[in-house]
Coordinates of all heavy atoms in Angstrom, one line a residue:
M143 N 0.8 -1.2 0.0 CA 0.0 0.0 0.0 C 0.9 1.2 0.0 O 1.9 1.3 0.7 CB -0.9 0.0 1.2 CG -1.8 1.1 1.4 SD -2.9 0.9 2.8 CE -4.4 1.0 2.0
L144 N 0.5 2.3 -0.8 CA 1.2 3.5 -0.8 C 0.7 4.5 0.2 O -0.5 4.6 0.4 CB 1.2 4.1 -2.2 CG 1.8 3.3 -3.3 CD1 1.7 4.0 -4.7 CD2 3.3 3.0 -3.0
F145 N 1.6 5.3 0.7 CA 1.3 6.4 1.6 C 2.0 7.6 1.2 O 3.2 7.6 0.9 CB 1.7 6.0 3.1 CG 0.9 4.9 3.6 CD1 1.2 3.6 3.5 CD2 -0.3 5.2 4.4 CE1 0.4 2.6 4.0 CE2 -1.1 4.2 4.9 CZ -0.7 2.8 4.7
A146 N 1.3 8.8 1.3 CA 1.9 10.1 1.0 C 2.2 10.7 2.4 O 1.3 10.8 3.2 CB 1.0 11.0 0.2
L147 N 3.4 11.1 2.6 CA 3.8 11.8 3.8 C 3.9 13.3 3.4 O 4.7 13.7 2.6 CB 5.2 11.3 4.3 CG 5.4 9.8 4.4 CD1 6.8 9.5 4.9 CD2 4.3 9.1 5.3
I148 N 3.0 14.1 4.0 CA 2.9 15.5 3.6 C 3.4 16.2 4.9 O 2.8 16.3 5.9 CB 1.5 15.9 3.3 CG1 1.0 15.0 2.1 CG2 1.4 17.4 3.0 CD1 -0.5 15.0 1.9
C149 N 4.7 16.7 4.7 CA 5.4 17.3 5.9 C 5.5 18.8 5.7 O 5.9 19.3 4.6 CB 6.8 16.7 5.9 SG 6.8 14.8 5.9
N150 N 5.2 19.5 6.7 CA 5.3 21.0 6.7 C 6.3 21.4 7.8 O 6.2 21.0 8.9 CB 3.9 21.6 7.1 CG 2.9 21.3 6.1 OD1 3.0 21.7 4.9 ND2 1.9 20.5 6.4
D151 N 7.3 22.2 7.3 CA 8.4 22.6 8.2 C 7.9 23.7 9.2 O 7.0 24.4 8.9 CB 9.5 23.3 7.4 CG 10.3 22.3 6.5 OD1 9.9 21.1 6.4 OD2 11.2 22.8 5.8
K152 N 8.5 23.7 10.3 CA 8.3 24.8 11.3 C 8.8 26.1 10.6 O 9.9 26.0 10.0 CB 9.0 24.5 12.6 CG 8.5 23.3 13.3 CD 9.3 23.1 14.6 CE 8.8 21.9 15.3 NZ 9.7 21.5 16.4
P153 N 8.1 27.2 10.8 CA 8.7 28.4 10.2 C 10.0 28.8 10.8 O 10.3 28.5 12.0 CB 7.6 29.5 10.7 CG 6.4 28.7 10.9 CD 6.8 27.3 11.4
G154 N 10.9 29.3 10.0 CA 12.2 29.7 10.4 C 13.2 28.6 10.7 O 14.2 28.8 11.4
H155 N 12.9 27.4 10.2 CA 13.8 26.3 10.5 C 14.6 25.8 9.2 O 15.0 24.7 9.1 CB 12.9 25.1 11.0 CG 12.7 25.2 12.4 ND1 11.9 26.2 13.0 CD2 13.0 24.4 13.5 CE1 11.9 26.0 14.3 NE2 12.5 24.9 14.6
L156 N 14.9 26.7 8.3 CA 15.6 26.4 7.1 C 17.0 25.8 7.5 O 17.5 24.8 6.9 CB 15.8 27.6 6.2 CG 16.5 27.3 4.9 CD1 15.9 26.2 4.1 CD2 16.6 28.6 4.0
Q157 N 17.7 26.4 8.5 CA 19.0 25.9 8.9 C 18.9 24.5 9.4 O 19.9 23.7 9.2 CB 19.7 26.9 9.8 CG 20.1 28.2 9.2 CD 21.0 27.9 7.9 OE1 21.9 27.1 7.9 NE2 20.7 28.6 6.8
V158 N 17.9 24.1 10.1 CA 17.7 22.8 10.6 C 17.6 21.8 9.4 O 18.2 20.8 9.4 CB 16.4 22.7 11.5 CG1 16.1 21.2 11.9 CG2 16.6 23.5 12.8
R159 N 16.8 22.2 8.4 CA 16.6 21.4 7.2 C 18.0 21.2 6.6 O 18.4 20.1 6.2 CB 15.7 22.1 6.3 CG 15.6 21.4 4.9 CD 14.5 22.1 4.0 NE 13.2 21.6 4.3 CZ 12.7 20.5 3.7 NH1 13.3 19.8 2.9 NH2 11.4 20.2 4.1
L160 N 18.7 22.3 6.4 CA 20.0 22.2 5.7 C 21.0 21.4 6.5 O 21.8 20.6 5.9 CB 20.6 23.6 5.4 CG 19.7 24.5 4.5 CD1 20.3 25.9 4.4 CD2 19.6 23.9 3.1
G161 N 21.0 21.5 7.8 CA 21.9 20.7 8.6 C 21.6 19.2 8.6 O 22.5 18.4 8.6
A162 N 20.3 18.9 8.5 CA 19.9 17.5 8.5 C 19.9 16.8 7.1 O 19.7 15.6 7.0 CB 18.6 17.3 9.2
R163 N 20.0 17.7 6.1 CA 19.8 17.2 4.7 C 20.7 16.0 4.3 O 20.2 15.0 3.7 CB 20.0 18.3 3.7 CG 19.6 17.9 2.3 CD 19.6 19.0 1.3 NE 19.0 18.6 0.1 CZ 19.6 17.9 -0.9 NH1 20.9 17.5 -0.7 NH2 19.0 17.6 -2.0
P164 N 22.0 16.0 4.6 CA 22.8 14.8 4.2 C 22.3 13.5 4.8 O 22.2 12.5 4.1 CB 24.2 15.1 4.7 CG 24.2 16.6 4.8 CD 22.9 17.0 5.2
D165 N 21.9 13.5 6.1 CA 21.3 12.3 6.7 C 20.0 12.0 6.1 O 19.6 10.8 5.9 CB 21.2 12.5 8.2 CG 22.6 12.5 8.9 OD1 23.6 12.0 8.3 OD2 22.6 13.1 10.0
H166 N 19.2 13.0 5.8 CA 17.9 12.8 5.2 C 18.0 12.1 3.8 O 17.3 11.1 3.5 CB 17.1 14.1 5.1 CG 15.9 14.1 4.2 ND1 14.7 13.5 4.7 CD2 15.6 14.6 3.0 CE1 13.8 13.6 3.7 NE2 14.3 14.3 2.7
V167 N 18.9 12.6 3.0 CA 19.2 12.1 1.7 C 19.7 10.6 1.8 O 19.2 9.8 1.0 CB 20.2 13.0 0.9 CG1 20.6 12.3 -0.4 CG2 19.5 14.3 0.6
A168 N 20.6 10.4 2.7 CA 21.0 9.0 2.9 C 19.9 8.1 3.3 O 19.8 6.9 2.8 CB 22.1 8.9 4.0
F169 N 19.0 8.6 4.2 CA 17.8 7.8 4.6 C 16.9 7.5 3.4 O 16.5 6.3 3.2 CB 17.1 8.6 5.6 CG 15.7 8.0 6.1 CD1 15.7 6.9 6.9 CD2 14.6 8.6 5.6 CE1 14.5 6.4 7.4 CE2 13.3 8.1 6.0 CZ 13.3 7.0 6.9
L170 N 16.7 8.5 2.5 CA 15.8 8.2 1.4 C 16.5 7.3 0.4 O 15.9 6.5 -0.2 CB 15.5 9.6 0.7 CG 14.5 10.5 1.5 CD1 14.2 11.7 0.7 CD2 13.3 9.8 1.9
N171 N 17.8 7.5 0.2 CA 18.6 6.5 -0.7 C 18.5 5.1 -0.2 O 18.3 4.2 -1.0 CB 20.0 7.0 -0.8 CG 20.2 8.1 -1.7 OD1 19.5 8.3 -2.7 ND2 21.3 8.9 -1.5
D172 N 18.5 4.9 1.1 CA 18.3 3.6 1.7 C 16.9 3.0 1.4 O 16.8 1.9 1.0 CB 18.6 3.6 3.2 CG 18.5 2.2 3.8 OD1 19.3 1.3 3.3 OD2 17.7 2.0 4.7
L173 N 15.9 3.9 1.6 CA 14.5 3.4 1.3 C 14.4 3.1 -0.2 O 13.7 2.2 -0.6 CB 13.5 4.5 1.7 CG 13.3 4.8 3.2 CD1 12.3 5.9 3.4 CD2 13.0 3.6 4.0
N174 N 15.0 3.9 -1.0 CA 15.0 3.7 -2.5 C 15.6 2.3 -2.8 O 15.1 1.6 -3.6 CB 15.6 4.8 -3.2 CG 15.4 4.8 -4.7 OD1 14.3 4.6 -5.1 ND2 16.5 4.9 -5.5
A175 N 16.8 2.0 -2.2 CA 17.5 0.8 -2.5 C 16.6 -0.4 -2.1 O 16.7 -1.5 -2.7 CB 18.8 0.7 -1.8
K176 N 15.8 -0.3 -1.1 CA 14.9 -1.3 -0.6 C 13.6 -1.4 -1.4 O 12.8 -2.3 -1.2 CB 14.5 -1.1 0.9 CG 15.7 -1.2 1.8 CD 15.3 -0.9 3.2 CE 16.5 -1.0 4.1 NZ 16.2 -0.5 5.5
G177 N 13.4 -0.4 -2.3 CA 12.1 -0.4 -3.1 C 11.0 0.2 -2.3 O 9.8 0.2 -2.8
T178 N 11.2 0.8 -1.2 CA 10.2 1.4 -0.4 C 9.8 2.8 -0.8 O 8.6 3.2 -0.8 CB 10.6 1.5 1.1 OG1 11.0 0.1 1.5 CG2 9.6 2.0 2.0
L179 N 10.8 3.6 -1.3 CA 10.5 5.0 -1.7 C 10.1 4.9 -3.1 O 10.7 4.3 -4.0 CB 11.8 5.8 -1.6 CG 11.7 7.2 -2.1 CD1 10.9 8.0 -1.2 CD2 13.1 7.8 -2.2
K180 N 8.9 5.6 -3.4 CA 8.4 5.8 -4.7 C 8.9 7.1 -5.3 O 9.3 7.1 -6.5 CB 6.9 5.7 -4.8 CG 6.4 4.3 -4.3 CD 7.1 3.2 -5.0 CE 6.8 1.8 -4.5 NZ 7.6 0.8 -5.0
F181 N 8.8 8.2 -4.6 CA 9.3 9.5 -5.0 C 9.3 10.4 -3.8 O 8.6 10.2 -2.9 CB 8.6 10.1 -6.3 CG 7.2 10.3 -6.1 CD1 6.7 11.5 -5.6 CD2 6.3 9.4 -6.6 CE1 5.4 11.8 -5.4 CE2 4.9 9.7 -6.5 CZ 4.4 10.8 -5.9
A182 N 10.1 11.5 -4.0 CA 10.1 12.5 -2.9 C 10.7 13.8 -3.4 O 11.4 13.8 -4.4 CB 11.0 12.0 -1.7
G183 N 10.4 14.9 -2.7 CA 10.9 16.2 -3.0 C 10.3 17.2 -2.1 O 9.3 17.0 -1.4
P184 N 11.0 18.4 -2.0 CA 10.5 19.5 -1.2 C 9.4 20.3 -1.7 O 9.3 20.5 -3.0 CB 11.8 20.3 -1.0 CG 12.5 20.2 -2.3 CD 12.2 18.7 -2.7
F185 N 8.6 20.8 -0.9 CA 7.7 21.9 -1.2 C 8.5 23.2 -1.2 O 9.5 23.3 -0.4 CB 6.5 22.0 -0.2 CG 5.6 20.9 -0.3 CD1 5.4 20.0 0.8 CD2 4.8 20.7 -1.4 CE1 4.5 18.9 0.7 CE2 3.9 19.6 -1.5 CZ 3.8 18.8 -0.4
L186 N 8.1 24.2 -1.9 CA 8.9 25.4 -2.0 C 8.0 26.6 -1.6 O 6.8 26.7 -2.0 CB 9.5 25.6 -3.4 CG 10.4 24.5 -3.9 CD1 10.8 24.8 -5.4 CD2 11.6 24.3 -3.0
D187 N 8.6 27.6 -1.0 CA 7.9 28.8 -0.6 C 8.0 29.8 -1.8 O 8.5 29.5 -2.9 CB 8.4 29.4 0.7 CG 9.8 30.0 0.6 OD1 10.4 30.1 -0.5 OD2 10.4 30.2 1.7
A188 N 7.5 31.0 -1.6 CA 7.4 32.0 -2.7 C 8.8 32.4 -3.2 O 9.0 32.9 -4.3 CB 6.7 33.2 -2.3
D189 N 9.8 32.2 -2.3 CA 11.2 32.5 -2.7 C 12.0 31.3 -3.2 O 13.2 31.3 -3.3 CB 11.9 33.1 -1.5 CG 11.3 34.5 -1.1 OD1 11.0 35.3 -2.0 OD2 11.2 34.7 0.1
A190 N 11.3 30.2 -3.5 CA 11.8 28.9 -4.0 C 12.7 28.3 -2.9 O 13.6 27.5 -3.3 CB 12.6 29.1 -5.3
K191 N 12.5 28.6 -1.6 CA 13.2 27.9 -0.6 C 12.4 26.8 0.0 O 11.1 26.9 0.0 CB 13.5 28.9 0.6 CG 14.3 30.1 0.2 CD 15.6 30.1 0.8 CE 16.4 31.4 0.6 NZ 17.1 31.5 -0.6
P192 N 13.0 25.6 0.3 CA 12.2 24.5 0.8 C 11.5 24.8 2.1 O 12.1 25.4 3.0 CB 13.2 23.4 1.0 CG 14.5 24.1 1.0 CD 14.4 25.3 0.3
N193 N 10.2 24.4 2.2 CA 9.5 24.6 3.4 C 8.6 23.4 3.8 O 7.7 23.5 4.6 CB 8.6 25.9 3.3 CG 7.5 25.8 2.3 OD1 7.4 24.8 1.6 ND2 6.7 26.8 2.2
G194 N 8.9 22.3 3.3 CA 8.2 21.0 3.6 C 8.6 19.9 2.6 O 9.5 20.2 1.8
S195 N 8.0 18.8 2.8 CA 8.4 17.6 1.9 C 7.1 16.8 1.5 O 6.2 16.8 2.3 CB 9.3 16.7 2.7 OG 10.5 17.3 3.0
L196 N 7.2 16.2 0.4 CA 6.3 15.2 -0.1 C 7.1 14.0 -0.3 O 8.0 14.0 -1.1 CB 5.5 15.6 -1.3 CG 4.7 14.6 -2.0 CD1 3.5 14.1 -1.0 CD2 4.1 15.0 -3.3
V197 N 6.8 12.9 0.4 CA 7.5 11.6 0.3 C 6.4 10.6 0.1 O 5.5 10.5 0.9 CB 8.3 11.3 1.6 CG1 9.0 10.0 1.4 CG2 9.3 12.5 1.8
V198 N 6.5 9.8 -0.9 CA 5.6 8.7 -1.2 C 6.3 7.4 -1.0 O 7.4 7.2 -1.6 CB 4.9 8.8 -2.5 CG1 4.0 7.6 -2.8 CG2 4.1 10.1 -2.6
I199 N 5.8 6.6 -0.1 CA 6.4 5.3 0.3 C 5.5 4.1 0.2 O 4.2 4.4 0.2 CB 7.0 5.3 1.7 CG1 5.9 5.6 2.7 CG2 8.1 6.3 1.9 CD1 6.2 5.5 4.2
E200 N 6.0 3.0 0.1 CA 5.2 1.8 0.2 C 5.4 1.2 1.6 O 6.5 1.1 2.1 CB 5.6 0.7 -0.9 CG 4.7 -0.5 -0.9 CD 4.9 -1.3 -2.2 OE1 5.8 -1.0 -3.0 OE2 4.3 -2.4 -2.3
A201 N 4.3 0.9 2.3 CA 4.4 0.3 3.6 C 3.2 -0.6 3.8 O 2.2 -0.5 3.1 CB 4.3 1.4 4.6
A202 N 3.3 -1.5 4.7 CA 2.3 -2.6 5.0 C 1.0 -1.9 5.5 O -0.1 -2.4 5.1 CB 2.8 -3.6 6.0
D203 N 1.1 -0.9 6.3 CA -0.1 -0.3 6.9 C 0.3 1.1 7.4 O 1.4 1.5 7.3 CB -0.7 -1.2 8.0 CG 0.3 -1.6 9.0 OD1 1.3 -0.8 9.3 OD2 0.1 -2.7 9.6
Q204 N -0.7 1.8 8.0 CA -0.5 3.1 8.5 C 0.6 3.1 9.6 O 1.4 4.1 9.6 CB -1.9 3.6 9.1 CG -1.8 5.1 9.6 CD -2.2 6.0 8.5 OE1 -2.7 5.7 7.4 NE2 -1.8 7.3 8.7
A205 N 0.6 2.1 10.5 CA 1.6 2.1 11.6 C 3.0 2.0 11.0 O 3.9 2.7 11.5 CB 1.3 1.0 12.5
A206 N 3.2 1.2 10.0 CA 4.5 1.0 9.3 C 4.9 2.3 8.6 O 6.1 2.7 8.7 CB 4.5 -0.1 8.4
A207 N 4.0 3.0 8.0 CA 4.2 4.3 7.4 C 4.6 5.3 8.4 O 5.6 6.1 8.2 CB 3.0 4.8 6.6
K208 N 4.0 5.3 9.5 CA 4.3 6.3 10.6 C 5.7 6.0 11.2 O 6.5 6.9 11.4 CB 3.3 6.2 11.7 CG 3.6 7.3 12.8 CD 2.5 7.3 13.9 CE 2.8 8.4 14.9 NZ 4.1 8.9 15.1
A209 N 6.0 4.7 11.3 CA 7.4 4.4 11.8 C 8.4 4.9 10.9 O 9.5 5.4 11.3 CB 7.5 2.9 12.0
L210 N 8.2 4.8 9.6 CA 9.2 5.3 8.6 C 9.3 6.8 8.7 O 10.3 7.4 8.6 CB 8.8 4.8 7.2 CG 9.2 3.4 6.8 CD1 8.6 3.0 5.5 CD2 10.7 3.2 6.9
A211 N 8.1 7.4 8.8 CA 8.1 8.9 8.9 C 8.8 9.4 10.1 O 9.6 10.3 10.1 CB 6.6 9.4 8.9
D212 N 8.6 8.7 11.2 CA 9.3 9.0 12.5 C 10.8 8.8 12.4 O 11.6 9.5 13.1 CB 8.7 8.3 13.6 CG 7.3 8.7 14.0 OD1 6.8 9.7 13.5 OD2 6.6 7.9 14.7
A213 N 11.3 7.9 11.6 CA 12.7 7.6 11.4 C 13.4 8.5 10.5 O 14.7 8.5 10.5 CB 12.9 6.1 10.9
D214 N 12.7 9.4 9.8 CA 13.4 10.4 8.9 C 14.2 11.3 9.7 O 13.7 11.9 10.7 CB 12.3 11.1 8.2 CG 12.8 12.1 7.1 OD1 13.9 12.7 7.3 OD2 12.2 12.2 6.1
P215 N 15.5 11.5 9.4 CA 16.3 12.5 10.1 C 15.7 13.9 10.2 O 16.0 14.6 11.2 CB 17.6 12.5 9.3 CG 17.7 11.1 8.7 CD 16.2 10.8 8.3
Y216 N 14.9 14.3 9.2 CA 14.3 15.6 9.4 C 13.3 15.6 10.6 O 13.3 16.5 11.3 CB 13.5 15.9 8.1 CG 14.3 16.5 7.0 CD1 13.7 16.7 5.7 CD2 15.6 16.9 7.1 CE1 14.4 17.2 4.7 CE2 16.3 17.5 6.1 CZ 15.7 17.6 4.8 OH 16.4 18.1 3.8
A217 N 12.5 14.5 10.7 CA 11.6 14.4 11.8 C 12.4 14.3 13.1 O 12.0 15.0 14.1 CB 10.7 13.2 11.7
K218 N 13.5 13.6 13.2 CA 14.3 13.4 14.4 C 14.9 14.8 14.8 O 15.1 15.0 15.9 CB 15.3 12.4 14.2 CG 14.8 11.0 14.2 CD 15.9 10.0 14.0 CE 15.4 8.5 14.1 NZ 16.5 7.6 14.1
A219 N 15.2 15.6 13.8 CA 15.8 16.9 14.0 C 14.8 18.0 14.5 O 15.1 19.1 14.9 CB 16.5 17.4 12.8
G220 N 13.5 17.6 14.5 CA 12.5 18.5 14.9 C 12.1 19.5 13.9 O 11.6 20.6 14.2
L221 N 12.3 19.2 12.6 CA 12.0 20.2 11.5 C 10.6 20.4 11.3 O 10.1 21.5 11.0 CB 12.7 19.6 10.2 CG 12.4 20.4 9.0 CD1 12.9 21.9 9.1 CD2 13.0 19.7 7.7
F222 N 9.8 19.3 11.4 CA 8.4 19.4 10.9 C 7.4 19.9 12.0 O 7.4 19.5 13.1 CB 7.9 18.0 10.5 CG 8.7 17.5 9.3 CD1 9.1 16.2 9.4 CD2 9.0 18.3 8.2 CE1 9.9 15.7 8.3 CE2 9.7 17.7 7.2 CZ 10.2 16.4 7.2
A223 N 6.6 20.9 11.6 CA 5.4 21.4 12.4 C 4.3 20.3 12.4 O 3.6 20.2 13.3 CB 4.9 22.7 11.9
S224 N 4.2 19.6 11.2 CA 3.1 18.6 11.1 C 3.5 17.6 10.0 O 4.3 17.9 9.1 CB 1.8 19.2 10.7 OG 1.9 19.8 9.4
V225 N 3.1 16.4 10.2 CA 3.2 15.3 9.2 C 1.9 14.6 9.0 O 1.4 14.1 10.0 CB 4.3 14.3 9.6 CG1 4.4 13.2 8.5 CG2 5.7 15.0 9.8
D226 N 1.3 14.7 7.8 CA 0.1 14.1 7.5 C 0.4 12.8 6.7 O 1.1 12.9 5.7 CB -0.8 15.0 6.7 CG -2.2 14.5 6.5 OD1 -2.7 13.6 7.3 OD2 -2.9 15.1 5.6
I227 N 0.0 11.7 7.2 CA 0.2 10.4 6.6 C -1.1 9.9 6.0 O -2.0 9.6 6.7 CB 0.8 9.4 7.5 CG1 2.1 10.0 8.2 CG2 1.1 8.0 6.8 CD1 2.7 9.1 9.3
R228 N -1.1 9.8 4.6 CA -2.4 9.5 4.0 C -2.2 8.3 3.0 O -1.3 8.4 2.2 CB -2.9 10.7 3.3 CG -3.2 11.9 4.2 CD -3.7 13.1 3.6 NE -5.0 12.9 3.0 CZ -5.6 13.8 2.3 NH1 -5.1 15.0 2.1 NH2 -6.8 13.5 1.8
P229 N -3.1 7.3 3.1 CA -3.1 6.3 2.0 C -3.3 7.0 0.7 O -4.0 7.9 0.5 CB -4.2 5.4 2.4 CG -4.5 5.7 3.8 CD -4.2 7.1 4.0
W230 N -2.6 6.5 -0.3 CA -2.6 7.1 -1.6 C -2.6 6.1 -2.7 O -2.0 5.0 -2.7 CB -1.3 8.0 -1.7 CG -1.3 8.9 -2.9 CD1 -2.1 9.9 -3.2 CD2 -0.4 8.8 -4.0 NE1 -1.7 10.5 -4.4 CE2 -0.7 9.8 -4.9 CE3 0.7 7.9 -4.4 CZ2 0.0 10.0 -6.1 CZ3 1.3 8.1 -5.5 CH2 1.0 9.1 -6.4
N231 N -3.3 6.4 -3.8 CA -3.5 5.5 -4.9 C -2.8 6.2 -6.1 O -3.3 7.2 -6.6 CB -4.9 5.2 -5.2 CG -5.1 4.2 -6.3 OD1 -4.2 3.4 -6.7 ND2 -6.3 4.2 -6.9
W232 N -1.7 5.6 -6.6 CA -1.0 6.2 -7.8 C -1.7 5.7 -9.1 O -1.5 4.6 -9.5 CB 0.4 5.8 -7.7 CG 1.4 6.5 -8.6 CD1 1.1 7.4 -9.7 CD2 2.8 6.4 -8.6 NE1 2.2 7.8 -10.3 CE2 3.3 7.2 -9.6 CE3 3.7 5.7 -7.8 CZ2 4.6 7.4 -9.9 CZ3 5.0 5.8 -8.1 CH2 5.5 6.7 -9.1
V233 N -2.5 6.6 -9.7 CA -3.3 6.2 -10.9 C -2.6 6.6 -12.2 O -2.3 5.8 -13.0 CB -4.7 6.8 -10.8 CG1 -5.5 6.5 -12.1 CG2 -5.4 6.3 -9.6
F234 N -2.3 7.9 -12.3 CA -1.7 8.4 -13.6 C -0.2 8.4 -13.5 O 0.4 8.8 -12.5 CB -2.3 9.8 -13.9 CG -3.7 9.8 -14.2 CD1 -4.7 10.1 -13.2 CD2 -4.2 9.5 -15.5 CE1 -6.0 10.0 -13.5 CE2 -5.5 9.4 -15.7 CZ -6.5 9.7 -14.7
N235 N 0.4 8.1 -14.7 CA 1.9 8.1 -14.8 C 2.6 7.2 -13.9 O 3.8 7.5 -13.5 CB 2.4 9.5 -14.8 CG 1.9 10.4 -15.9 OD1 1.7 9.9 -17.1 ND2 1.6 11.6 -15.7
N236 N 2.0 6.2 -13.4 CA 2.6 5.2 -12.5 C 3.5 4.3 -13.4 O 2.9 3.5 -14.2 CB 1.6 4.5 -11.7 CG 2.2 3.5 -10.7 OD1 3.3 3.0 -10.9 ND2 1.4 3.1 -9.7
P237 N 4.8 4.2 -13.2 CA 5.6 3.4 -14.1 C 5.3 1.9 -13.9 O 5.5 1.1 -14.8 CB 7.0 3.7 -13.6 CG 7.0 4.6 -12.5 CD 5.6 5.0 -12.3
A238 N 4.7 1.5 -12.7 CA 4.4 0.1 -12.5 C 3.2 -0.3 -13.4 O 3.0 -1.5 -13.6 CB 4.1 -0.1 -11.0
N239 N 2.4 0.7 -13.9 CA 1.3 0.3 -14.7 C 1.6 0.3 -16.2 O 0.7 0.1 -17.0 CB 0.1 1.4 -14.5 CG -0.4 1.3 -13.1 OD1 -0.3 0.3 -12.4 ND2 -1.1 2.4 -12.7
G240 N 2.9 0.4 -16.5 CA 3.5 0.2 -17.8 C 2.9 1.1 -18.9 O 2.9 1.0 -20.0

């Protein structure tokens, strides 16, 4: 099952994001190697600075998706004001649908 992790940064926490980014990228690369990560990227503010994240993962259930979200170095660094974890159905342009 796919889950969208919709993460909103705390205001004024750009330096927290930048400091945790190498560990975050390593975490996502590991998820990608395991086939768990489907895609990810930052949301941008009006000045094109990152202010949140969209991460789509495959997980067995909501609890497993939350465990992965909690393990993200960004989450551990206290970057996020909120994380919404929602089941998601990839319909259009899904490479798995050939």
Side-chain angles (χ1 to χ4, degrees):
M143 178 175 241
L144 295 179
F145 291 88
L147 312 179
I148 303 165
C149 311
N150 295 296
D151 292 4
K152 293 176 183 171
H155 277 64
L156 181 58
Q157 289 307 313
V158 173
R159 173 178 277 273
L160 296 176
R163 188 173 188 283
D165 291 337
H166 170 73
V167 169
F169 174 76
L170 293 181
N171 281 332
D172 183 58
L173 292 181
N174 191 49
K176 294 175 181 173
T178 302
L179 178 67
K180 298 307 174 188
F181 59 85
F185 291 114
L186 304 175
D187 67 14
D189 297 320
K191 301 246 188 279
N193 66 354
S195 298
L196 172 62
V197 179
V198 175
I199 58 170
E200 187 168 357
D203 54 30
Q204 185 87 17
K208 182 175 182 343
L210 283 173
D212 290 346
D214 186 324
Y216 279 170
K218 289 181 174 184
L221 174 62
F222 299 133
S224 66
V225 178
D226 189 18
I227 302 170
R228 300 177 65 180
W230 188 68
N231 185 21
W232 192 350
V233 176
F234 293 97
N235 296 323
N236 181 339
N239 293 339

